[in-house]
Amino acid sequence: MVPHFPRWIWSWAALLPAVAGSVNATALLSLRHVGVTHLTGISTEAGIGLGAGDVDLLAHAAGVIASFTLGCAMSATVARGPRWTPSIAAAGLLFGVALLLSVASLLLPERPWLGVMLCAGAMGIQNGLTSALSGALLRTSHLTGMFTDLGIALGQKARGAPVDARRVAVCLTVITSFVVGAVTSAMAYATWQGRCLSLSAAFAAVVGLSTLWLSRRAKAAAGITTPRE
């Protein structure tokens, strides 16, 4: 069963998957590869590249894998606070996601390969952060686990077993948000092309600002003051 968690986690579940969905759609439309937010398809590309001797495909897959993994490592290095706790470090990482996506939006039209690598790094940071702070309950960059949990819940319901309603709600929220983000980017891409990533960057920045506010509010409630320089 999913434990009780702070209400602010719902804002992450509702907004950050939209960022990932929009980034994945934009990257896919830019390079016609399998996207950047889920490494199953990327690893398949790497296997095809190795098996078929396609150096370009292998290089693309290796670059995305490395960028995403480094992003996850960065999030684990910076955000080391307790679970379910908003922090200045978490807000800083989300601002980093926004910055990377902003730069990627400028690079995609002329240098799509480099722009896609920045997208992969940004999604690694985001997914590493949300996984670490939620104890792996909330993964915002891909949906395989969410659909798996939904399928399990359906099977449990069919045999009359108890269903974890909170987990189902999280899954439905993440899935809906991700798809909405992808649809939005697909529509915007027709006009703006890779520059539509600026919308994704803005969303990530908004979540970063809300996380920073929540962190300061939590410290104020606990009587902790931030030293002034």
Side-chain angles (χ1 to χ4, degrees):
M1 302 291 286
V2 172
H4 287 281
F5 50 76
R7 287 181 295 177
W8 66 267
I9 287 292
W10 288 108
S11 66
W12 278 23
L15 294 177
L16 290 179
V19 174
S22 62
V23 169
N24 204 45
T26 303
L28 192 153
L29 290 168
S30 296
L31 280 185
R32 301 294 174 181
H33 284 271
V34 295
V36 296
T37 66
H38 56 288
L39 296 194
T40 303
I42 302 298
S43 298
T44 303
E45 279 197 345
I48 293 171
L50 281 171
D54 189 333
V55 176
D56 290 339
L57 185 61
L58 178 59
H60 167 80
V64 171
I65 291 170
S67 298
F68 189 96
T69 304
L70 287 173
C72 291
M74 181 181 296
S75 67
T77 301
V78 174
R80 292 174 291 180
R83 292 179 182 176
W84 314 116
T85 303
S87 65
I88 294 176
L93 286 168
L94 290 170
F95 291 140
V97 171
L99 177 60
L100 287 176
L101 294 179
S102 296
V103 175
S105 73
L106 299 175
L107 290 175
L108 273 177
E110 301 297 331
R111 298 180 181 178
W113 193 88
L114 181 56
V116 164
M117 295 305 116
L118 292 181
C119 288
M123 291 300 94
I125 293 173
Q126 176 178 301
N127 201 52
L129 172 63
T130 56
S131 296
L133 259 66
S134 69
L137 166 67
L138 186 62
R139 296 180 182 271
T140 59
S141 71
H142 56 280
L143 302 182
T144 303
M146 298 297 165
F147 279 113
T148 299
D149 288 347
L150 281 182
I152 291 172
L154 285 173
Q156 291 172 331
K157 183 71 173 178
R159 63 184 175 87
V163 174
D164 189 343
R166 190 178 294 108
R167 182 179 292 277
V168 171
V170 169
C171 291
L172 290 175
T173 301
V174 170
I175 290 169
T176 302
S177 176
F178 190 97
V179 173
V180 168
V183 170
T184 302
S185 270
M187 296 171 64
Y189 190 88
T191 302
W192 295 349
Q193 283 74 52
R195 297 190 189 278
C196 67
L197 276 178
S198 59
L199 296 175
S200 309
F203 261 81
V206 167
V207 181
L209 285 171
S210 67
T211 302
L212 180 61
W213 178 77
L214 287 166
S215 172
R216 292 185 178 278
R217 189 181 71 167
K219 286 185 177 181
I224 301 173
T225 59
T226 303
R228 299 189 179 184
E229 299 185 8

